[in-house]
């Protein structure tokens, strides 16, 4: 399989958003080692430059996916440098806890701006370059697209929405030979997930052994790498997420009926606890909760 991946990915021109850290950085590095030509977008110039060095001094741009004009300019420059585009990985995203009642609406707004609108802008702009038989767009989403857990309403809603964007794009671009995939990730051992769980409310409500066991970053990177090489429609990491996604209704029912002895206390904490985003966002009003 390693040799097959090398053959399939060699020379593939790939743009990765959210490439400064975590899964985006690790995936870009892995694709480069397979022979792909990668370009990087992200929010942290210093980290982006470090990733670029590990990727053979790959081209990169500091860019916020919430800014469509800046994104269009950055994508245009990077695609010109690559001489075209075969793959876009819409990986940029954030999360923050949000109680539905009594929580700060600013958390929802900012999550929508990054996860939903940022993914839309990425697919719309990069999609202009993917209308060919080797074109492939991958939206990195979450198992939260199918099963919603408490305090994750904003994240779950945007995961489901980005899944819908990908499904729509797949239908609209199929006649061009372009394929579109969705990556459904469980809890992966990244900085983003550790920050997401690092709150007093999350500690209070965490349900041991239920969609909360961490998998190593390698699990996600290996699955995404293989999915990109084969231009897959669905990518699951770890593999059990696929079972959950195929059984969304009963899985959600299990969550709905789970005993909730600490729910009231957790929500009370969450309504007063300052929500921390998993990625620092600049140029926007800070949450007030």
């Amino acid at each position: 399989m390693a040799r097959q991946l090398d053959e399939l990915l060699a020379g593939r021109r790939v743009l990765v958003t959210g490439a400064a850290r975590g899964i985006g950085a690790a995936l870009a590095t892995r694709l480069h080692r397979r022979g792909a030509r990668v370009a990087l977008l992200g929010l942290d110039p210093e980290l982006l430059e470090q990733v670029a060095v590990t990727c053979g001094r790959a081209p990169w741009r500091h860019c916020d996916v919430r800014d469509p004009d800046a994104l269009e300019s950055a994508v245009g420059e990077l695609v010109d440098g690559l001489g075209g585009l075969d793959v876009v990985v819409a990986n940029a995203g954030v999360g923050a806890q949000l109680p539905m009642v009594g929580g700060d609406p600013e958390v929802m707004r900012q999550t929508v701006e990054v996860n939903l609108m940022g993914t839309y802008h990425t697919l719309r702009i990069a999609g202009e370059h993917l209308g060919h038989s080797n074109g492939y767009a991958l939206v990195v989403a979450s198992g939260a697209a199918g099963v919603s857990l408490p305090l994750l309403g904003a994240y779950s809603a945007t995961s489901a929405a980005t899944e819908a964007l990908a499904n729509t794009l797949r239908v609209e671009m199929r006649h061009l030979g372009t394929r579109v995939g969705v990556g459904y990730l469980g809890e992966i051992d990244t900085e983003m997930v550790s920050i997401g769980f690092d709150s007093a409310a999350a500690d209070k409500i965490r349900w041991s052994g239920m969609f909360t066991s961490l998998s190593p970053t390698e699990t996600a990177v290996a699955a995404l790498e293989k999915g990109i090489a084969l231009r897959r429609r669905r990518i699951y990491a770890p593999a059990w997420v696929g079972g959950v996604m195929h059984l969304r209704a009963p899985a959600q029912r299990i969550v709905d009926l789970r005993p909730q002895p600490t729910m009231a206390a957790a929500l009370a904490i969450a309504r007063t606890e300052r929500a921390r985003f998993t990625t620092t966002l600049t140029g926007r009003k800070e949450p007030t909760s």
Side-chain angles (χ1 to χ4, degrees):
M1 175 55 72
R3 180 175 297 179
Q4 181 185 13
L5 291 177
D6 288 342
E7 293 173 353
L8 290 171
L9 291 169
R12 198 85 69 90
R13 299 163 297 184
V14 184
L15 173 64
V16 182
T17 70
R21 54 169 59 84
I23 290 172
L27 178 61
T29 302
R30 178 74 68 87
L31 293 173
H32 164 72
R33 290 174 181 169
R34 293 290 188 192
R37 298 172 58 203
V38 299
L40 317 172
L41 284 174
L43 287 176
D44 191 317
E46 183 176 343
L47 292 179
L48 277 172
E49 188 168 17
Q50 292 174 13
V51 177
V53 170
T54 69
C55 295
R57 299 197 175 278
W60 60 272
R61 294 290 184 277
H62 169 262
C63 185
D64 190 329
V65 295
R66 296 174 294 179
D67 185 339
D69 293 333
L71 185 61
E72 187 160 14
S73 176
V75 169
E77 292 174 4
L78 293 174
V79 171
D80 285 346
L82 292 175
L85 190 65
D86 299 307
V87 180
V88 65
V89 182
N91 170 69
V94 298
Q97 71 180 25
L98 175 69
M100 293 300 296
V101 178
D104 188 350
E106 188 67 12
V107 173
M108 174 64 83
R109 186 183 69 81
Q110 293 192 32
T111 305
V112 167
E113 282 191 1
V114 177
N115 296 2
L116 176 55
M117 295 307 299
T119 298
Y120 165 69
H121 296 318
T122 300
L123 295 177
R124 176 182 64 82
I125 294 166
E128 295 284 345
H129 307 279
L130 295 175
H132 55 83
S133 59
N134 289 322
Y136 180 65
L138 174 61
V139 172
V140 179
S142 165
V147 179
S148 302
L149 299 177
L151 300 182
L152 294 179
Y155 185 73
S156 296
T158 53
S159 290
T162 57
E163 178 191 40
L165 291 181
N167 290 341
T168 302
L169 185 67
R170 182 183 302 113
V171 177
E172 293 180 353
M173 297 195 73
R174 187 179 64 181
H175 69 286
L176 300 172
T178 308
R179 297 185 185 179
V180 179
V182 181
Y184 301 91
L185 306 186
E187 282 80 21
I188 306 299
D189 190 9
T190 62
E191 181 184 21
M192 178 178 181
V193 171
S194 64
I195 291 173
F197 283 148
D198 185 22
S199 74
D203 285 341
K204 199 75 173 176
I205 207 171
R206 187 174 300 173
W207 294 335
S208 178
M210 188 167 189
F211 313 133
T212 56
S213 58
L214 293 179
S215 298
T217 302
E218 168 64 20
T219 299
V221 172
L224 294 172
E225 170 194 44
K226 186 175 181 180
I228 291 169
L230 299 175
R231 298 199 301 160
R232 285 184 167 168
R233 188 172 185 269
R234 298 282 184 262
I235 302 169
Y236 304 110
W240 61 259
V241 176
V244 173
M245 297 307 294
H246 283 95
L247 297 170
R248 299 183 188 206
Q252 185 65 58
R253 185 64 172 161
I254 291 172
V255 173
D256 294 346
L257 297 177
R258 183 84 171 181
Q260 301 177 338
T262 62
M263 183 66 73
L267 291 174
I269 294 170
R271 289 174 185 134
T272 58
E273 192 173 29
R274 185 178 182 83
R276 182 184 178 191
F277 279 96
T278 55
T279 299
T280 301
L281 302 177
T282 59
R284 293 294 188 273
K285 177 185 173 183
E286 289 297 319
T288 58
S289 59

mmCIF file of all heavy atoms in Angstrom, residues 35 58 65 89 99 108 144 148 164 166 176 184 196 203 206 257 259 268 274 289:
data_model
loop_
_atom_site.group_PDB
_atom_site.id
_atom_site.type_symbol
_atom_site.label_atom_id
_atom_site.label_comp_id
_atom_site.label_asym_id
_atom_site.label_seq_id
_atom_site.Cartn_x
_atom_site.Cartn_y
_atom_site.Cartn_z
ATOM 1 N N GLY A 35 5.533 12.616 -2.205
ATOM 2 C CA GLY A 35 5.838 13.162 -3.509
ATOM 3 C C GLY A 35 4.868 14.208 -4.006
ATOM 4 O O GLY A 35 5.018 14.709 -5.127
ATOM 5 N N ALA A 58 7.808 24.529 0.916
ATOM 6 C CA ALA A 58 6.552 24.683 0.180
ATOM 7 C C ALA A 58 6.055 26.124 0.263
ATOM 8 O O ALA A 58 6.295 26.819 1.259
ATOM 9 C CB ALA A 58 5.490 23.752 0.764
ATOM 10 N N VAL A 65 -9.515 32.262 6.601
ATOM 11 C CA VAL A 65 -10.545 31.769 5.676
ATOM 12 C C VAL A 65 -11.858 32.527 5.819
ATOM 13 O O VAL A 65 -12.748 32.395 4.973
ATOM 14 C CB VAL A 65 -10.799 30.258 5.863
ATOM 15 C CG1 VAL A 65 -9.567 29.453 5.488
ATOM 16 C CG2 VAL A 65 -11.267 29.935 7.285
ATOM 17 N N VAL A 89 -7.745 20.647 0.565
ATOM 18 C CA VAL A 89 -8.150 20.071 1.845
ATOM 19 C C VAL A 89 -8.657 21.214 2.719
ATOM 20 O O VAL A 89 -7.871 22.028 3.212
ATOM 21 C CB VAL A 89 -6.987 19.345 2.541
ATOM 22 C CG1 VAL A 89 -7.466 18.724 3.860
ATOM 23 C CG2 VAL A 89 -6.401 18.266 1.630
ATOM 24 N N PRO A 99 -23.337 26.359 25.720
ATOM 25 C CA PRO A 99 -24.671 25.912 26.141
ATOM 26 C C PRO A 99 -25.724 26.599 25.282
ATOM 27 O O PRO A 99 -25.632 27.802 25.035
ATOM 28 C CB PRO A 99 -24.749 26.340 27.612
ATOM 29 C CG PRO A 99 -23.750 27.439 27.746
ATOM 30 C CD PRO A 99 -22.680 27.191 26.742
ATOM 31 N N MET A 108 -21.348 31.130 18.758
ATOM 32 C CA MET A 108 -21.995 30.557 17.579
ATOM 33 C C MET A 108 -21.611 31.332 16.322
ATOM 34 O O MET A 108 -21.272 30.742 15.290
ATOM 35 C CB MET A 108 -23.518 30.557 17.763
ATOM 36 C CG MET A 108 -24.298 30.102 16.533
ATOM 37 S SD MET A 108 -23.981 28.376 16.056
ATOM 38 C CE MET A 108 -25.099 27.532 17.182
ATOM 39 N N ALA A 144 -19.215 14.649 14.799
ATOM 40 C CA ALA A 144 -20.254 15.538 15.331
ATOM 41 C C ALA A 144 -21.252 15.947 14.260
ATOM 42 O O ALA A 144 -22.311 16.489 14.577
ATOM 43 C CB ALA A 144 -19.617 16.781 15.951
ATOM 44 N N SER A 148 -24.737 14.585 18.014
ATOM 45 C CA SER A 148 -24.500 15.831 18.744
ATOM 46 C C SER A 148 -24.405 15.579 20.239
ATOM 47 O O SER A 148 -25.270 14.916 20.820
ATOM 48 C CB SER A 148 -25.635 16.827 18.462
ATOM 49 O OG SER A 148 -25.734 17.071 17.076
ATOM 50 N N ALA A 164 -22.968 19.034 4.349
ATOM 51 C CA ALA A 164 -23.958 19.355 3.322
ATOM 52 C C ALA A 164 -23.333 20.107 2.155
ATOM 53 O O ALA A 164 -23.672 19.874 0.989
ATOM 54 C CB ALA A 164 -25.101 20.171 3.936
ATOM 55 N N ALA A 166 -20.263 19.822 1.102
ATOM 56 C CA ALA A 166 -19.496 18.846 0.333
ATOM 57 C C ALA A 166 -20.412 17.970 -0.516
ATOM 58 O O ALA A 166 -20.117 17.696 -1.690
ATOM 59 C CB ALA A 166 -18.658 17.976 1.274
ATOM 60 N N LEU A 176 -17.747 17.023 -14.321
ATOM 61 C CA LEU A 176 -16.415 17.474 -14.709
ATOM 62 C C LEU A 176 -15.340 16.437 -14.391
ATOM 63 O O LEU A 176 -14.180 16.615 -14.770
ATOM 64 C CB LEU A 176 -16.074 18.784 -13.991
ATOM 65 C CG LEU A 176 -17.008 19.972 -14.275
ATOM 66 C CD1 LEU A 176 -16.668 21.133 -13.353
ATOM 67 C CD2 LEU A 176 -16.920 20.385 -15.739
ATOM 68 N N TYR A 184 -14.614 12.299 8.391
ATOM 69 C CA TYR A 184 -15.328 12.284 9.671
ATOM 70 C C TYR A 184 -14.356 11.825 10.749
ATOM 71 O O TYR A 184 -14.005 10.647 10.824
ATOM 72 C CB TYR A 184 -16.524 11.343 9.613
ATOM 73 C CG TYR A 184 -17.531 11.685 8.548
ATOM 74 C CD1 TYR A 184 -17.445 11.138 7.265
ATOM 75 C CD2 TYR A 184 -18.595 12.545 8.821
ATOM 76 C CE1 TYR A 184 -18.376 11.441 6.291
ATOM 77 C CE2 TYR A 184 -19.531 12.863 7.848
ATOM 78 C CZ TYR A 184 -19.416 12.302 6.586
ATOM 79 O OH TYR A 184 -20.339 12.611 5.615
ATOM 80 N N GLY A 196 -10.327 21.961 23.617
ATOM 81 C CA GLY A 196 -11.776 21.842 23.653
ATOM 82 C C GLY A 196 -12.285 21.170 24.920
ATOM 83 O O GLY A 196 -13.359 21.506 25.430
ATOM 84 N N ASP A 203 -15.245 18.941 32.138
ATOM 85 C CA ASP A 203 -14.851 17.967 33.154
ATOM 86 C C ASP A 203 -16.069 17.445 33.907
ATOM 87 O O ASP A 203 -16.138 16.265 34.271
ATOM 88 C CB ASP A 203 -13.876 18.601 34.150
ATOM 89 C CG ASP A 203 -12.478 18.762 33.565
ATOM 90 O OD1 ASP A 203 -12.179 18.072 32.570
ATOM 91 O OD2 ASP A 203 -11.710 19.581 34.095
ATOM 92 N N ARG A 206 -18.259 15.168 31.181
ATOM 93 C CA ARG A 206 -17.633 14.149 30.342
ATOM 94 C C ARG A 206 -18.152 12.762 30.676
ATOM 95 O O ARG A 206 -18.227 12.361 31.830
ATOM 96 C CB ARG A 206 -16.115 14.179 30.510
ATOM 97 C CG ARG A 206 -15.384 13.258 29.530
ATOM 98 C CD ARG A 206 -13.897 13.449 29.648
ATOM 99 N NE ARG A 206 -13.526 14.818 29.350
ATOM 100 C CZ ARG A 206 -12.305 15.285 29.509
ATOM 101 N NH1 ARG A 206 -11.347 14.512 29.971
ATOM 102 N NH2 ARG A 206 -12.032 16.544 29.207
ATOM 103 N N LEU A 257 -30.676 9.462 25.712
ATOM 104 C CA LEU A 257 -31.190 8.733 26.869
ATOM 105 C C LEU A 257 -30.143 8.493 27.950
ATOM 106 O O LEU A 257 -30.433 7.875 28.966
ATOM 107 C CB LEU A 257 -31.777 7.387 26.425
ATOM 108 C CG LEU A 257 -32.994 7.483 25.486
ATOM 109 C CD1 LEU A 257 -33.443 6.088 25.062
ATOM 110 C CD2 LEU A 257 -34.136 8.244 26.147
ATOM 111 N N PRO A 259 -28.037 8.839 31.146
ATOM 112 C CA PRO A 259 -28.304 9.504 32.433
ATOM 113 C C PRO A 259 -27.524 10.809 32.542
ATOM 114 O O PRO A 259 -26.384 10.916 32.072
ATOM 115 C CB PRO A 259 -27.814 8.477 33.458
ATOM 116 C CG PRO A 259 -27.944 7.163 32.761
ATOM 117 C CD PRO A 259 -27.611 7.437 31.318
ATOM 118 N N ALA A 268 -24.566 25.173 34.322
ATOM 119 C CA ALA A 268 -24.407 26.370 35.160
ATOM 120 C C ALA A 268 -22.978 26.892 35.080
ATOM 121 O O ALA A 268 -22.740 28.103 34.994
ATOM 122 C CB ALA A 268 -24.780 26.044 36.606
ATOM 123 N N ARG A 274 -15.680 31.473 30.715
ATOM 124 C CA ARG A 274 -15.296 32.120 29.466
ATOM 125 C C ARG A 274 -14.952 31.058 28.425
ATOM 126 O O ARG A 274 -14.036 30.267 28.609
ATOM 127 C CB ARG A 274 -14.108 33.048 29.690
ATOM 128 C CG ARG A 274 -13.723 33.860 28.449
ATOM 129 C CD ARG A 274 -12.560 34.790 28.775
ATOM 130 N NE ARG A 274 -12.191 35.612 27.640
ATOM 131 C CZ ARG A 274 -12.799 36.731 27.303
ATOM 132 N NH1 ARG A 274 -13.810 37.161 28.029
ATOM 133 N NH2 ARG A 274 -12.402 37.438 26.256
ATOM 134 N N SER A 289 -18.959 35.458 27.585
ATOM 135 C CA SER A 289 -19.391 34.565 28.659
ATOM 136 C C SER A 289 -18.231 34.220 29.586
ATOM 137 O O SER A 289 -17.082 34.343 29.229
ATOM 138 C CB SER A 289 -19.939 33.273 28.050
ATOM 139 O OG SER A 289 -18.981 32.620 27.278
#
